[in-house]
Amino acid sequence: MAALSEEVLLVVKRVRQRKQDGTLYLMTERIAWGPEGKDRFTVSHLYADIRCQKISPDGKAKIQLQLVLHTGESTTFHFANESTALKDRDAAKDLLQQLLPKFKKKANKELEEKNRMLQEDPVLFQLYKDLVVSQVISAEEFWASRLKLNSVDHALSNNNKQEVGISAAFLADIRPQTDGCNGLKYNLTSDIIESIFRTYPAVKQKYAENVPHNLTEKEFWTRFFQSHYFHRDRINTGQQDIFSECAKQDEKGLKSMVVQGVKNPMVDLMSLEDKTLDEGYGSLTALPNSSKTVKENSNSAIIKRFNHHSAMVLAAGLRKVEASSDQASETSSTDGNSRDSDFFQPPIKKVKLQEAIEYEDLQNESGPKTIALNLKKSDRYSHGPVPLQSHHYSTSQDIINSVSCIQEEISCYKPCLTRVMSSSAASSAITALSPGGVLMQAGAQQTISQLVPTDVQSELKHLYTAAGELLRHFWSCFPVNTPFLEEKVVKMQSNLERFQSTKLHPFQEKIQREYLSTNLTNHVEEMIQAAYNKFHAWQTRRMLRKT
């Protein structure tokens, strides 16, 4: 049972676990369940091991509480006391909501990213085992640059993602359901909530101000759907409504849109008026009637609200484009009609006309496509070709004469194959050119892959990969111009020595003893020796600088 030092915060009886009755205990550091009649816990979870809790939906026959662990396993408790089941479940849920954040392990995104990279890349996993598990280098040194490169790749991929637009009817798609008690139930998804926040930033601001300080999330959305802001035509807004300020802000925003107007000169919204063919068949201009009925006021309010909703949906898609544009130009607009750009761009009307009548795919190509030069050493390109050292040149007549002489020699040539080479010389040449001969010693290197078993080849590849990783860290320290790099280059030099003594030398002894006399690791030793020479030269200059 509970230890003497443990404080029991809540005890709930008649709780079933796997169809067995028992008692649920919530203590200071763990939650435990024990069957009736026994003095031990059969279920015990530390709060630090619990990832989240889930409850059964309202109206379900069984009132349950589920605990999901970080390992993916879950434990479900069924509250079986009919009279107080819901109350007991809510008490346990509320207490867990207070306790879990205190003990919950912080979601280590770096650890999840490391596990994902090791699972997706077998070569990286083998490299991790060769270097980190064998304690050649530390895990921090191994992941120092890899996480940065991977985060850059992810950032680039995230920037290239296309953001999903907002449907103009996303509020109409929220179809309430009756709960049987003269109430309505709204099912909100994360996409709908995001669409509301993107379309109405004022609602997002109210959410940040009130949740969870003043209201729970459920209470906030209940007030939102009960508000004049969502249902009514906003003629009468109560003072108790937290969204009344949102409606006032929308009114100001709509007036500013009307005053600003449409910057496109090809569109004239003022010419769009409803005209009825009564007296004069539309030719007579009637004076505007200032007195409007209540019905007309309500209709205009609804139309105004629809127009504002459409404008906010369009603005939600343009906010990201405007944010990614040059922030220094505060007066720029989406159609390029700004005070600063008027001096550098042609008139906006001309631009709109060109966009309407010109098509890129129908235009002639402006010129031949050129290829940009990628010059690694520009001085060679600037200086041109280097002249030959010899000053003797052959003229074209000399070349013609030489070709004619060769043709005459070939025409007079009479082969005598029996006098070309003696039989003994031919036999010795064949022997020298046969496999294993004097002239075929270099060919033995080509058959090493056939002589060495596949497991040794795989081990050699792992050694090359590990040595390359260590050398990459070593050479990245140069030029050594900071104390951190000085410390790192000394550490990497000792890591290379440790790798050579613990990995490379045992492999060399194994190869020489069992398989081949050829040194397969000669190239790896040369790379490591070059790093040693660089380190010693740097250390010598460092000592001279200090003296």
Side-chain angles (χ1 to χ4, degrees):
M1 296 299 287
L4 295 177
S5 60
E6 285 185 304
E7 179 184 358
V8 179
L9 303 177
L10 181 65
V11 178
V12 183
K13 297 183 178 180
R14 297 193 63 182
V15 178
R16 293 178 183 174
Q17 208 276 326
R18 292 186 178 180
K19 299 182 180 181
Q20 188 177 5
D21 291 335
T23 305
L24 184 66
Y25 297 87
L26 276 77
M27 290 165 279
T28 54
E29 295 183 356
R30 60 171 177 158
I31 182 173
W33 179 87
E36 291 183 354
K38 296 184 180 180
D39 57 351
R40 60 182 180 85
F41 294 138
T42 57
V43 177
S44 178
H45 299 306
L46 294 173
Y47 296 134
D49 297 334
I50 300 175
R51 187 179 67 183
C52 64
Q53 62 169 334
K54 298 180 180 180
I55 61 173
S56 57
D58 296 339
K60 192 176 180 181
K62 293 183 178 180
I63 300 175
Q64 295 175 329
L65 174 68
Q66 186 182 47
L67 303 178
V68 182
L69 307 181
H70 289 288
T71 58
E73 301 177 355
S74 61
T75 304
T76 304
F77 299 105
H78 175 206
F79 295 81
N81 194 344
E82 297 181 357
S83 59
T84 61
L86 184 60
K87 182 179 178 181
D88 294 341
R89 196 273 309 275
D90 291 341
K93 179 198 70 173
D94 295 339
L95 185 57
L96 283 173
Q97 284 181 346
Q98 300 175 11
L99 294 173
L100 287 181
K102 299 178 181 178
F103 296 91
K104 188 176 182 180
K105 295 179 180 178
K106 295 182 179 180
N108 193 345
K109 294 184 178 180
E110 285 190 2
L111 183 59
E112 295 177 0
E113 186 68 19
K114 291 174 185 177
N115 292 332
R116 184 190 64 80
M117 293 173 64
L118 292 177
Q119 291 174 1
E120 294 178 356
D121 193 350
V123 177
L124 183 65
F125 181 61
Q126 182 64 39
L127 185 64
Y128 184 84
K129 292 193 295 184
D130 291 339
L131 295 180
V132 180
V133 178
S134 59
Q135 297 181 354
V136 176
I137 62 175
S138 62
E140 290 77 10
E141 294 172 345
F142 181 81
W143 293 109
S145 60
R146 294 191 176 274
L147 285 178
K148 293 180 181 178
L149 295 175
N150 195 67
S151 62
V152 170
D153 294 340
H154 276 283
L156 291 176
S157 62
N158 291 334
N159 290 335
N160 293 330
K161 286 184 178 179
Q162 183 178 6
E163 187 175 357
V164 180
I166 299 176
S167 172
F170 73 92
L171 289 178
D173 293 337
I174 309 173
R175 298 175 181 175
Q177 300 175 356
T178 58
D179 57 359
C181 301
N182 294 328
L184 296 177
K185 181 179 180 181
Y186 290 88
N187 293 323
L188 292 180
T189 63
S190 58
D191 295 334
I192 295 175
I193 294 175
E194 183 182 1
S195 298
I196 295 174
F197 286 162
R198 288 174 58 189
T199 307
Y200 300 106
V203 177
K204 184 177 181 180
Q205 182 180 358
K206 288 296 179 181
Y207 181 88
E209 293 175 356
N210 293 280
V211 179
H213 314 293
N214 303 327
L215 300 172
T216 63
E217 188 170 5
K218 183 177 180 180
E219 292 174 349
F220 177 83
W221 291 115
T222 301
R223 291 196 180 187
F224 175 77
F225 288 112
Q226 290 175 349
S227 171
H228 294 270
Y229 188 76
F230 180 74
H231 282 289
R232 307 297 174 83
D233 54 6
R234 304 184 189 177
I235 295 177
N236 298 317
T237 55
Q239 297 296 329
Q240 300 297 327
D241 191 356
I242 63 174
F243 297 100
S244 59
E245 296 180 2
C246 300
K248 295 178 182 178
Q249 293 178 8
D250 291 348
E251 291 291 337
K252 294 180 181 178
L254 187 58
K255 290 180 180 178
S256 64
M257 292 179 189
V258 173
V259 172
Q260 186 179 6
V262 179
K263 297 296 181 66
N264 191 348
M266 306 300 295
V267 178
D268 186 9
L269 294 181
M270 300 304 296
S271 63
L272 302 177
E273 296 180 359
D274 293 333
K275 295 181 180 180
T276 58
L277 296 178
D278 45 9
E279 295 182 2
Y281 295 96
S283 61
L284 297 178
T285 57
L287 296 175
N289 187 10
S290 59
S291 61
K292 294 184 178 180
T293 62
V294 178
K295 183 178 181 180
E296 290 177 347
N297 287 331
S298 61
N299 291 340
S300 62
I302 294 174
I303 294 173
K304 185 189 299 184
R305 184 179 179 189
F306 285 160
N307 290 336
H308 179 262
H309 175 76
S310 301
M312 295 301 290
V313 169
L314 292 175
L318 297 176
R319 286 191 191 103
K320 187 175 181 181
V321 178
E322 293 175 355
S324 61
S325 62
D326 189 9
Q327 296 180 358
S329 155
E330 297 180 355
T331 60
S332 63
S333 60
T334 56
D335 57 359
N337 187 14
S338 63
R339 290 177 295 178
D340 297 333
S341 62
D342 288 340
F343 296 100
F344 306 102
Q345 296 181 358
I348 191 66
K349 188 173 183 179
K350 185 177 179 181
V351 175
K352 293 295 181 180
L353 283 173
Q354 289 178 350
E355 292 178 355
I357 63 177
E358 293 183 0
Y359 297 91
E360 293 182 359
D361 53 350
L362 298 180
Q363 299 295 328
N364 295 327
E365 294 184 359
S366 58
K369 295 182 179 179
T370 58
I371 301 176
L373 292 177
N374 185 11
L375 301 176
K376 295 183 179 179
K377 294 184 178 180
S378 58
D379 55 346
R380 292 184 180 179
Y381 180 79
S382 303
H383 296 159
V386 181
L388 296 175
Q389 298 297 328
S390 177
H391 298 283
H392 178 71
Y393 299 98
S394 299
T395 62
S396 58
Q397 187 62 38
D398 295 337
I399 296 174
I400 294 173
N401 295 335
S402 301
V403 171
S404 62
C405 292
I406 293 173
Q407 290 177 350
E408 290 179 2
E409 292 290 337
I410 292 175
S411 62
C412 299
Y413 173 71
K414 294 181 180 180
C416 185
L417 300 179
T418 57
R419 298 179 183 178
V420 173
M421 183 181 292
S422 62
S423 60
S424 59
S427 177
S428 61
I430 292 174
T431 304
L433 295 173
S434 299
V438 178
L439 300 178
M440 298 298 291
Q441 293 296 329
Q445 297 179 0
Q446 301 176 358
T447 60
I448 289 179
S449 60
Q450 301 175 358
L451 299 176
V452 178
T454 56
D455 57 342
V456 178
Q457 294 182 29
S458 177
E459 189 175 355
L460 181 61
K461 291 179 182 177
H462 296 330
L463 280 176
Y464 260 96
T465 307
E469 178 70 14
L470 290 174
L471 290 170
R472 184 175 66 85
H473 282 278
F474 175 82
W475 290 108
S476 65
C477 299
F478 293 94
V480 185
N481 47 20
T482 61
F484 171 75
L485 291 177
E486 291 183 2
E487 182 181 356
K488 183 179 180 180
V489 73
V490 173
K491 188 183 299 182
M492 293 312 302
Q493 195 267 348
S494 62
N495 290 337
L496 283 172
E497 292 179 348
R498 192 181 305 115
F499 170 78
Q500 198 171 15
S501 60
T502 58
K503 294 287 184 180
L504 196 58
H505 289 166
F507 180 76
Q508 290 175 344
E509 296 174 358
K510 176 182 177 181
I511 292 297
Q512 294 176 0
R513 183 175 62 252
E514 299 181 6
Y515 297 101
L516 294 171
S517 59
T518 308
N519 188 6
L520 298 177
T521 59
N522 188 27
H523 184 232
V524 180
E525 291 179 344
E526 290 178 356
M527 292 192 299
I528 295 177
Q529 187 60 41
Y532 288 161
N533 295 338
K534 179 69 174 179
F535 177 78
H536 294 317
W538 168 78
Q539 206 170 28
T540 303
R541 289 196 301 269
R542 182 188 178 193
M543 297 299 295
L544 292 175
R545 207 177 294 120
K546 288 184 177 181
T547 56

